[in-house]
Amino acid sequence: QVQLVESGGGLVQAGGSLRLSCAASGRTFSNVAMGWFRQAPGKEREFVAAISWTGGFTHYAGVVRGRFTISRDNAKNSVYLQMNSLKPEDTAVYYCAADSQAMTTTRYNYWGQGTQVTVSS
């Protein structure tokens, strides 16, 4: 059974940092793109960041560029999201996703259950 499990979410003050992790199991994801998305209450799920299977190409939403960094470790079948200079508007449930031909869209084949990130002002 394929699973993506996110961890690392929590409550942090504005200006703080968090590092999200996503561990995949059930198959290897070392040859597919992976991404992070988020969904705030009452809003649609939105793209945050994505990384190609080699890690050589990354893409970020404009609102997080320069503050968030996506990375991956194919040996560990994992992807990470380092979030710095967090703002209250970053508060959302963050989802890991894997395997897409359109990595900045929600057209991914696999999704995690999400981890809550709350940024207090």
Side-chain angles (χ1 to χ4, degrees), residues 2 4 14 18 24 28 41 49 57 67 72-73 85 89-91 94 105 115 117:
V2 175
L4 299 178
L18 284 174
T28 181
F57 176 78
R67 300 188 297 124
R72 67 189 297 164
D73 185 338
S85 302
E89 51 264 44
D90 294 318
T91 295
Y94 282 71
T105 74
T115 185
V117 171

Side-chain angles (χ1 to χ4, degrees), residues 14-61:
S17 298
L18 284 174
R19 185 176 188 244
L20 304 184
S21 299
C22 173
S25 61
R27 57 155 282 186
T28 181
F29 288 99
S30 61
N31 59 345
V32 300
M34 299 187 76
W36 287 96
F37 291 74
R38 67 186 184 187
Q39 189 167 17
K43 295 187 176 181
E44 293 188 352
R45 190 170 299 190
E46 65 175 0
F47 169 75
V48 175
I51 188 167
S52 64
W53 71 275
T54 64
F57 176 78
T58 56
H59 190 84
Y60 297 93

Side-chain angles (χ1 to χ4, degrees), residues 60-115:
Y60 297 93
V63 294
V64 307
R65 189 175 294 118
R67 300 188 297 124
F68 291 11
T69 302
I70 188 171
S71 61
R72 67 189 297 164
D73 185 338
N74 286 340
K76 296 183 178 180
N77 225 19
S78 296
V79 65
Y80 309 97
L81 187 68
Q82 177 67 43
M83 305 186 295
N84 299 329
S85 302
L86 282 161
K87 304 175 181 180
E89 51 264 44
D90 294 318
T91 295
V93 177
Y94 282 71
Y95 296 90
C96 169
D99 192 7
S100 175
Q101 297 300 315
M103 53 198 274
T104 65
T105 74
T106 56
R107 295 196 297 271
Y108 280 75
N109 290 322
Y110 302 98
W111 291 87
Q113 293 300 304
T115 185

